Amino acid sequence: MIHKTAKIHPLAYIEPNVEIGENTNIGPFCIVRGGAKIGKNCKFTAYCEIRENVIIGNGTTMGSRCTISANATIGNNTTIKYGFVLTDTPNLKDGGFKSVKGIGDNVLIGANVTLMPSFSIGNNSIIGACSQVRTNVPDDEIWYGSPAKFFKKNV
Ligand SMILES: CC(C)(COP(=O)(O)OP(=O)(O)OC[C@H]1O[C@@H](n2cnc3c(N)ncnc32)[C@H](O)[C@@H]1OP(=O)(O)O)[C@@H](O)C(=O)NCCC(=O)NCCS
């Protein structure tokens, strides 16, 4: 169900069987695939794709050009800047899928970050711009680089 206060741009494409909460704003050219559940007070700027069965909490925002692969979860009050990709296909030759984990609450993800398949980012952590994350990032830490490495605690 799409809440009556949600704002869906006329150029966004929302598949059937999607839940979108109150005051959530879906910008132009965003695609939300079937089975996705998006909470309230979220904002997706433009050209984002939220794939099948993704679950996103309340108050989470995404800049333009973010792609969230199927079955991933993202928590509450997380801010994702432009160009983030959450991947689920480690091997491009056989196309096999690895289970997608996700992102916690109050996370801040800088521009153009890629989260590799099966890894997760803990609550209150920060990922610097242009990082490739290919390990689990615990709660309350700042990581950056390619591959991303621990920088310091997020106190
Ligand atoms: C990771 C981050 C939060 C760290 O910020 P900070 O604590 O102020 O760290 P500093 O800027 O003091 O940087 C410390 C060192 O790490 C390096 N560094 C910081 N972020 C980096 C990144 N994303 N990639 C590579 N190196 C980075 C700096 O060059 C500096 O190196 P030096 O000590 O050799 O000079 C920040 O650099 C970042 O990436 N912010 C996201 C910006 C962004 O994406 N904005 C989106 C909207 S425009």
Side-chain angles (χ1 to χ4, degrees):
M1 193 197 99
I2 299 176
H3 195 274
K4 61 180 190 293
T5 60
K7 287 197 189 108
I8 313 294
H9 192 280
L11 294 175
Y13 175 63
I14 313 292
E15 288 191 347
N17 191 26
V18 158
E19 287 180 24
I20 298 178
E22 61 192 90
N23 298 318
T24 282
N25 190 324
I26 310 275
F29 303 105
C30 289
I31 300 172
V32 183
R33 300 285 182 197
K37 293 190 174 117
I38 301 172
K40 58 186 178 182
N41 301 318
C42 293
K43 183 168 184 195
F44 304 94
T45 304
Y47 294 96
C48 293
E49 183 170 3
I50 311 298
R51 302 210 58 189
E52 295 81 357
N53 307 316
V54 165
I55 298 177
I56 298 176
N58 301 321
T60 284
T61 63
M62 268 176 225
S64 300
R65 297 178 288 100
C66 294
T67 300
I68 310 299
S69 289
N71 305 311
T73 57
I74 300 178
N76 301 306
N77 302 314
T78 277
T79 301
I80 299 175
K81 300 294 185 182
Y82 334 104
F84 173 68
V85 182
L86 190 156
T87 61
D88 66 359
T89 310
N91 182 338
L92 297 178
K93 283 189 190 146
D94 68 15
F97 287 88
K98 247 184 167 176
S99 66
V100 170
K101 297 238 174 77
I103 300 171
D105 299 332
N106 301 308
V107 172
L108 176 55
I109 296 185
N112 284 322
V113 169
T114 299
L115 176 60
M116 294 301 285
S118 84
F119 299 116
S120 54
I121 298 171
N123 300 325
N124 310 308
S125 284
I126 296 177
I127 309 296
C130 297
S131 297
Q132 185 203 47
V133 179
R134 44 181 157 133
T135 184
N136 289 325
V137 173
D139 294 350
D140 306 307
E141 293 188 355
I142 304 177
W143 288 50
Y144 70 74
S146 182
K149 304 266 188 226
F150 173 76
F151 174 41
K152 60 185 177 185
K153 293 296 277 184
N154 184 27
V155 286

